[in-house]
């Protein structure tokens, strides 16, 4: 998932913190009852959504040439890196090897690897941008989907799996969130508008309230 999607997922987590407050400060009688807790993988919910799945299949077809070129170059880069890896390993295994003595081999390997990563990023730039655009379209509805899934499953608090250290049996509502996303995002375009960059939708959403507030004053 790209940076913009992760930012959206973090926003969803913050929203959930707000949603959970009423359950935690309930009346004494209600406080005696056990809070219903669930876990959810927000990124997984986005990936499970039908809009995302369909869009990825479209990307595989539309950008097949880019994907094939990237895979072919990745394979050739592995072959080009092997002698450098072997040279580095040989240098490291020499008796009395030090960080300084293996520095030339390490630097050569790192330089080649970084150049290869940059080359692959250029080759798959259109694929990456299209995927990021799809992810952002779906993730923009993630907060609403989480709220709806919580209501449907009668859940008061949602945690992400990595936040759970020890647990009793729990409910995983990832699929329920994906189902809610299917309702609000039936499809996603794989063609970003000209000049679009990841995170742009978030910026527009953040600027919208300010714009609406300023409109009455301009009349």
């Amino acid at each position: 998932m790209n940076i913009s999607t992760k930012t959206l997922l973090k926003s969803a987590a913050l929203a959930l913190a707000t949603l959970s407050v009423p359950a935690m400060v309930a009346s004494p009688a209600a406080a005696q009852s056990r809070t219903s807790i669930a876990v959810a993988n927000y990124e997984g919910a986005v990936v499970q959504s039908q809009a995302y799945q369909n869009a990825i299949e479209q990307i595989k077809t539309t950008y097949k040439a880019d994907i094939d070129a990237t895979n072919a170059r990745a394979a050739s880069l592995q072959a080009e890196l092997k002698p450098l890896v072997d040279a580095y390993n040989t240098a490291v295994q020499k008796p009395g090897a030090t960080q300084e003595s293996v520095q030339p081999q390490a630097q050569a390997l790192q330089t080649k690897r970084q150049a290869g990563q940059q080359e692959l990023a250029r080759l798959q730039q259109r694929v990456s941008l299209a995927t990021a655009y799809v992810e952002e379209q779906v993730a923009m509805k993630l907060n609403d989907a989480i709220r709806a899934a919580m209501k449907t499953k009668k859940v008061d608090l949602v945690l992400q799996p990595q936040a759970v250290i020890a647990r009793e049996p729990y409910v995983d509502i990832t699929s329920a969130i994906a189902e809610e996303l299917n309702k609000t995002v039936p499809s996603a375009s794989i063609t970003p508008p000209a000049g679009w960059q990841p995170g742009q939708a978030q910026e527009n959403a953040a600027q919208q309230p300010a714009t609406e507030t300023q409109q009455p004053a301009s009349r």
Side-chain angles (χ1 to χ4, degrees):
M1 180 163 291
N2 59 30
I3 295 176
S4 64
T5 303
K6 290 181 179 178
T7 301
L8 285 166
L9 299 181
K10 289 179 181 177
S11 298
L14 290 174
L16 281 177
T18 302
L19 283 174
S20 66
V21 170
M24 302 305 290
V25 297
S27 63
Q32 295 176 3
S33 62
R34 184 171 181 173
T35 303
S36 177
I37 300 176
V39 297
N41 182 333
Y42 304 147
E43 182 178 353
V46 170
V47 171
Q48 286 181 30
S49 69
Q50 198 60 54
Y52 180 90
Q53 293 290 332
N54 291 343
I56 292 301
E57 290 304 316
Q58 294 177 38
I59 288 174
K60 289 178 181 178
T61 301
T62 303
Y63 298 105
K64 185 178 185 303
D66 298 54
I67 294 171
D68 289 346
T70 301
N71 290 337
R73 184 56 184 143
S76 63
L77 280 170
Q78 288 285 15
E80 293 172 19
L81 280 170
K82 188 178 186 306
L84 298 177
V85 173
D86 292 342
Y88 173 76
N89 289 335
T90 299
V92 170
Q93 293 168 7
K94 284 184 178 179
T98 64
Q99 185 173 355
E100 290 74 18
S101 69
V102 302
Q103 181 61 29
Q105 291 82 2
Q107 186 61 49
L109 177 58
Q110 183 179 8
T111 299
K112 179 66 176 179
R113 182 173 290 158
Q114 289 177 343
Q117 290 172 342
Q118 292 172 0
E119 184 179 356
L120 293 178
R122 288 193 296 270
L123 288 172
Q124 63 184 5
Q125 185 173 11
R126 294 199 303 170
V127 175
S128 298
L129 196 63
T131 303
Y133 185 51
V134 170
E135 290 174 345
E136 188 162 302
Q137 290 172 81
V138 179
M140 285 295 290
K141 295 295 184 180
L142 186 57
N143 279 341
D144 293 340
I146 293 170
R147 292 189 181 94
M150 290 176 69
K151 183 177 180 180
T152 300
K153 297 297 183 179
K154 296 181 173 59
V155 169
D156 301 308
L157 178 65
V158 177
L159 301 174
Q160 295 193 68
Q162 60 268 30
V164 180
I165 299 176
R167 62 176 184 266
E168 294 183 11
Y170 61 88
V171 175
D172 188 323
I173 64 170
T174 301
S175 296
I177 295 173
E179 291 173 5
E180 295 297 336
L181 285 172
N182 291 341
K183 298 175 185 177
T184 56
V185 192
S187 63
S189 171
I190 66 170
T191 307
W196 179 86
Q197 293 297 323
Q200 188 171 328
Q202 291 174 265
E203 295 175 4
N204 293 340
Q207 293 172 0
Q208 187 65 28
T211 303
E212 292 176 351
T213 303
Q214 293 171 2
Q215 284 180 350
S218 63
R219 292 179 182 175

